[in-house]
């Protein structure tokens, strides 16, 4: 008997994660570990963990991981990559982390075109702290701090941070994907592969926004959460390529 | 041997499964169902209910956030 889905070498075996049942973080972790193995980047990998549910990601990945203060992932990633360009640097961040408290770091690292990869988990809430409204929460979305639904009059509009940074000349690759279906998971892996390749070639900043279920705070079953992404979340955050300047940058650097 | 002639065996690592049901929802062949018994973590894990229907598509392994499924071919 041959095992068809081999365990990724950069993911610790037989460790049970703290993630809730059906949480998208686990799917994206696996994809990151698989790609580091497939692209032979594990030995030089350096992943920056956020404050958020992925705060304990260092317990699961079997390569170098550092912990960041809330929102500062891309500042740490910048320092690491500049100090040692041989490192393969990933900043893994949630939507509260990346698009609320970390807005300044996100915008400026992207604008500087740092040669780093950002994996951005958008679950439309502050997951770890109990499901408060995030800048990414949808209009009408009921959260801990918007029980009657997010109202634009009081709370403003869903923030499209990836679309914003995609307009920057320094942002070489930006894509929005979703892990709500096998097809979406396949696209997510392809997008993160392209983002990783961008850094490998020294072409600048790359970011992949992943629409990701948080069944616990959405108060839905995992299957319903996937449906909610496909039916509601994608209306606000349309999956697709936001920018790909790799060819342009290759020519510039040639 | 073509893929069609192969026999696929799906195994759920019972004590690593959180019973989220995603594999059950996304398996087109309805191979998987919910176990009546609790596992070590107190979840009702997924288990094969129609194992012979497995076509080895690996969709269940793609959607499982906890790497709790193994698919074998022979
Ligand atoms: C400076 C600081 N302020 C506030 C917090 C509390 N805090 C921890 S995680 C978090 C939000 C996490 O949400 P998100 O980044 O969306 O990650 P998720 O848990 O949803 O994956 C907050 C506000 C903190 N850890 N540090
Ligand atoms: S609270 Fe949400 S994001 Fe956090 S582990 Fe649970 S499901 Fe995942
Ligand atoms: S491999 Fe495909 S057919 Fe077999 S159990 Fe998994 S999803 Fe179902
Ligand atoms: S997807 Fe994984 S964790 Fe969820 S029920 Fe299936 S085997 Fe268990
Ligand atoms: Mg979040």
């Amino acid at each position: 008997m041959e095992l068809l889905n081999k365990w990724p070498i950069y993911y610790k075996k037989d460790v049970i994660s703290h993630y809730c049942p059906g949480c998208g973080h686990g799917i994206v972790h696996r994809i990151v570990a698989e790609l580091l193995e497939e692209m032979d980047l594990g030995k030089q990998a350096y992943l920056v963990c956020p404050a958020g549910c992925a705060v304990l990601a260092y317990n699961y990945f079997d390569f170098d991981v550092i912990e960041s203060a809330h929102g500062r992932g891309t500042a740490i990633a910048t320092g690491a990559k500049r100090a040692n360009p041989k490192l393969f640097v990933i900043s893994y961040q949630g939507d509260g982390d990346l698009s609320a408290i970390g807005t300044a770091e996100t915008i400026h690292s992207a604008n500087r075109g740092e040669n780093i990869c950002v994996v951005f988990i958008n679950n439309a809430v502050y997951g770890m702290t109990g499901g408060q409204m995030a800048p990414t929460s949808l209009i009408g979305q009921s959260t801990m701090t918007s029980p009657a639904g997010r109202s634009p009059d009081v709370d403003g509009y869903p923030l499209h941070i990836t679309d914003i940074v995609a307009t920057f000349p320094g942002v070489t690759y930006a894509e929005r994907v979703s892990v709500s279906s096998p097809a979406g998971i396949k696209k997510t892996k392809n997008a993160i592969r392209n983002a990783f390749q961008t850094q490998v070639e020294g072409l600048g900043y790359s970011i992949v926004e992943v629409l990701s279920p948080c069944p616990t705070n959405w108060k839905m079953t995992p299957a319903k959460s996937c449906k909610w992404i496909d039916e509601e979340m994608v209306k606000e955050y349309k999956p697709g390529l936001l920018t790909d300047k790799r060819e342009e940058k290759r020519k510039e650097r040639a | 041997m073509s893929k069609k002639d192969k026999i696929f065996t799906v195994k759920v690592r019972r004590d690593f499964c959180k019973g989220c049901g995603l594999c059950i929802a996304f398996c087109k062949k309805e191979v998987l169902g919910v176990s009546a018994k609790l596992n070590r973590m107190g979840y009702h894990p997924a288990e094969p209910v129609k194992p012979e229907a497995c076509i080895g598509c690996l969709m269940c392994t793609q959607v499982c956030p906890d790497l709790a499924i193994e698919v074998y071919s022979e």
Side-chain angles (χ1 to χ4, degrees), chain A residues 3 5-9 11-14 37, chain B residues 13 67:
Chain A
L3 177 62
N5 59 316
K6 295 217 169 52
W7 192 274
I9 58 171
Y11 210 50
K12 289 178 193 162
K13 185 113 200 247
D14 298 348
E37 182 176 352
Chain B
R13 303 162 68 225
L67 288 80

Side-chain angles (χ1 to χ4, degrees), chain B residues 12 16-24 46 60 63-66 68-69:
Chain B
V12 177
F16 294 88
C17 168
K18 293 177 186 159
C20 73
L22 287 176
C23 57
I24 301 168
C60 53
V63 298
C64 178
D66 290 282
I69 305 180

Side-chain angles (χ1 to χ4, degrees), chain A residues 2 4-5 14 17 19, chain B residues 13 18 62 69 71-73:
Chain A
E2 184 202 350
L4 298 179
N5 59 316
D14 298 348
S17 80
Y19 295 120
Chain B
R13 303 162 68 225
K18 293 177 186 159
Q62 288 299 306
I69 305 180
V71 180
Y72 295 85
S73 79

Side-chain angles (χ1 to χ4, degrees), chain A residues 91-102:
Chain A
S91 182
Y92 186 105
Q93 299 179 255
D95 47 342
D97 190 83
L98 181 144
S99 75
I101 194 168

Side-chain angles (χ1 to χ4, degrees), chain B residues 5 8 11 22 31 36-38 43 56 59 61 67 70:
Chain B
D5 309 320
F8 297 98
K11 287 189 180 166
L22 287 176
V31 172
K37 284 202 206 124
L38 296 173
Y43 294 117
M59 296 297 179
T61 68
L67 288 80
E70 290 174 341

Side-chain angles (χ1 to χ4, degrees), chain A residues 18-25 52-54 121 123 125-131 212-218:
Chain A
H18 71 292
Y19 295 120
C20 310
C23 173
H25 277 296
C53 282
I121 306 297
N123 56 17
V125 283
Y126 286 16
M128 183 193 191
T129 44
S212 173
C214 174
T216 300
N217 287 304
W218 297 356

Side-chain angles (χ1 to χ4, degrees), chain A residues 194-209:
Chain A
N194 288 342
F196 283 8
Q197 189 59 31
T198 304
Q199 182 179 160
V200 168
E201 292 182 49
L203 302 176
Y205 186 99
S206 55
I207 178 166
V208 177
E209 173 179 340

